[in-house]
């Protein structure tokens, strides 16, 4: 917090509402978040100098996350540019067969996201396969995107992606602890996605694979083998899990292995490149990965600024007072904060940054453990994060050749997947 600054809670709400409105008006999310912070701070009682300090301090608070996200860009670039992610998706769908087509598409998207590829990119990777399968088996686009998005959400909470890194940093724990803790909720989310997609397979417009064919004149490089494609994610996940497993099993040598994701993710990417025989492409692939991270980093900075506004206000105190007055369990504050902030930003990663920075201390004051807070908040952030003021909504709509109206029909089912994961996470960490 910035010393000597106290923003009225309604100022923070005005700033948050303005940021959402500006995002809906298509202003850059980063500028929208910063401008919302400025207005909220000023109307909430801060001076111009104090407002600047709030933005700087808030932005500085996310720099640890930014560094780790940039490191994750190397892994994401290698997985996408080398064709490893495509090969994993193709193999999963082929192995499951047509009788389990919906399950295979959901699992493929879950795995691709789970190994460190951004969820919108994972959907883009699997979408052409889904279109081809759907047109052949008469599975509607609605069902296909429910399977893809639901599987992606499940994979997103167990992946070394920006959201997991951000919520772990917010509660000062290792990302792998969040990944492990989210595994069972993710399985329930996957099951719900498959169930809903199966129920919807004959509802809505059928896909037309001809309409989705891209320019065939562009030469494509051969995909690496499935064995080589799996090297990067296996190395990354194995190294990330060493310390948490050591803590769980009380194995001293493993407990002493305290290597940050900032080192592990690029290292795993380099090992994978060598295994695929693409070591010479490290500069090209890492540059491509960095380019995909730029927008994420900018949004994280804006989210940090807005988080600074909320942190320097008494908004979290007001919400805690409401929870106490209504008799709601304090353990529910983490998932509630995740749901509200994820929906406000239409982003899982931005939602958990806002949630952990703004309500982290209040959540832990209820006696909630950092791991429980992180897992339940991240699950909550997946409930309504696919709203139209976020780019995930539009990227996935384009991937399936859907209109805005058609894409909106998917949203309630995505929310059910996220809500399923949230309920399971809350039960596991609050009632068992």
């Amino acid at each position: 917090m910035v010393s000597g600054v106290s923003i009225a809670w309604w100022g923070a709400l005005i700033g948050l509402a303005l940021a959402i409105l500006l995002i809906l008006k298509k202003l850059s999310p980063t500028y929208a978040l910063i401008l919302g912070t400025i207005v909220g701070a000023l109307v909430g009682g801060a001076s111009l100098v104090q407002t600047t300090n709030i933005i700087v301090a808030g932005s500085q608070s996310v720099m640890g996350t930014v560094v780790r996200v940039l490191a994750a860009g190397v892994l994401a670039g290698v997985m996408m540019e080398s064709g490893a992610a495509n090969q994993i998706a193709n193999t999963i769908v082929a192995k499951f067969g047509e009788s389990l087509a919906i399950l295979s598409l959901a699992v493929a998207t879950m795995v691709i996201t789970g190994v460190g590829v951004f969820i919108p990119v994972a959907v883009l990777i699997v979408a052409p396969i889904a279109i081809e399968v759907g047109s052949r088996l008469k599975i509607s686009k609605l069902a296909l995107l429910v399977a893809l998005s639901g599987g992606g959400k499940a994979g997103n909470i167990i992946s070394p992606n920006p959201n997991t890194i951000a919520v772990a940093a917010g509660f000062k724990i290792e990302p792998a602890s969040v990944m492990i803790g989210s595994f069972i909720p993710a399985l329930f989310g996957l099951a719900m996605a498959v169930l809903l997609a199966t129920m919807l397979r004959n509802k809505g417009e059928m896909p037309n694979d001809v309409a989705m064919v891209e320019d065939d004149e562009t030469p494509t490089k051969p995909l690496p083998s499935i064995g080589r494609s799996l090297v990067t994610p296996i190395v990354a996940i194995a190294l990330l899990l060493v310390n948490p497993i050591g803590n769980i099993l009380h194995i001293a040598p493993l407990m002493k292995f305290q290597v940050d994701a900032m080192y592990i993710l690029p290292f795993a990417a380099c090992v994978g490149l060598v295994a695929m025989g693409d070591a010479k492409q490290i500069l090209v692939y890492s540059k491509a990965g960095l380019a995909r991270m730029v927008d994420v980093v900018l949004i994280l900075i804006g989210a940090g600024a807005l988080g600074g506004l909320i942190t320097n206000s008494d908004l979290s105190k007001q919400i805690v007072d409401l929870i106490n007055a209504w008799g709601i369990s304090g353990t529910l504050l983490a998932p509630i904060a995740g749901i509200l902030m994820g929906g406000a930003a239409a982003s899982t990663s931005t939602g958990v940054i806002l949630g952990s920075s703004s309500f982290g201390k209040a959540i832990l004051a209820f006696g909630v453990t950092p791991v429980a807070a992180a897992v339940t908040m991240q699950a909550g952030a997946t409930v309504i994060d696919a709203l139209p003021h976020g780019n995930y909504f539009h990227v996935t709509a384009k991937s399936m050749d859907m209109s805005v109206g058609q894409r909106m029909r998917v949203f309630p089912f995505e929310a059910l997947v996220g809500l399923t994961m949230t309920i399971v996470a809350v039960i596991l960490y609050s009632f068992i």
Side-chain angles (χ1 to χ4, degrees), residues 258-431:
Q258 297 180 345
V259 182
D260 197 275
M262 181 184 73
Y263 304 107
I264 290 174
L265 300 180
F267 173 76
C270 291
V271 172
L273 275 178
V274 172
M276 291 184 285
D278 272 356
K280 293 181 179 180
Q281 300 297 321
I282 180 63
L283 296 180
V284 176
Y285 292 172
S286 59
K287 182 178 180 180
L290 177 63
R292 292 185 180 276
M293 295 294 176
V294 170
D295 287 343
V296 178
V297 167
L298 292 175
I299 292 174
L300 292 180
I301 293 172
L306 187 59
L309 169 67
I310 299 174
T311 302
N312 283 279
S313 74
D314 61 344
L315 179 60
S316 61
K317 179 181 180 300
Q318 296 293 332
I319 292 178
V320 170
D321 289 343
L322 279 176
I323 287 176
N324 289 328
W326 292 345
I328 300 174
S329 172
T331 58
L332 297 179
L333 179 55
I336 290 172
I339 292 171
L340 295 178
M341 296 299 102
S347 164
T348 309
S349 55
T350 308
V352 295
I353 283 186
L354 292 174
S356 59
S357 63
S358 306
F359 304 102
K361 290 183 179 178
I363 291 167
L364 298 179
F366 280 108
V368 181
T369 66
V371 172
V375 170
T376 56
M377 178 177 288
Q378 180 178 233
T382 66
V383 177
I384 53 173
D385 62 335
L387 287 167
H389 59 283
N391 51 337
Y392 177 72
F393 178 95
H394 301 283
V395 168
T396 51
K398 184 178 180 181
S399 73
M400 298 299 294
D401 192 28
M402 285 179 160
S403 66
V404 172
Q406 290 173 325
R407 179 63 181 84
M408 276 302 299
R409 290 187 62 194
V410 182
F411 174 74
F413 303 105
E414 292 173 303
L416 282 174
V417 173
L419 188 60
T420 299
M421 295 192 295
T422 304
I423 292 172
V424 172
V426 170
I427 291 173
L428 287 175
Y429 284 95
S430 300
F431 301 108

Side-chain angles (χ1 to χ4, degrees), residues 14-40 55 298-299 301-303 305-306 309 344-345 389:
I14 289 173
L16 178 60
L18 177 61
I20 295 171
L21 178 63
L22 293 174
I23 291 172
L24 288 171
K25 294 293 184 181
K26 306 302 182 185
L27 180 66
S28 163
T30 304
Y31 285 137
L33 292 165
I34 292 176
L35 187 55
T37 303
I38 293 172
V39 173
I55 292 174
L298 292 175
I299 292 174
I301 293 172
L306 187 59
L309 169 67
H389 59 283

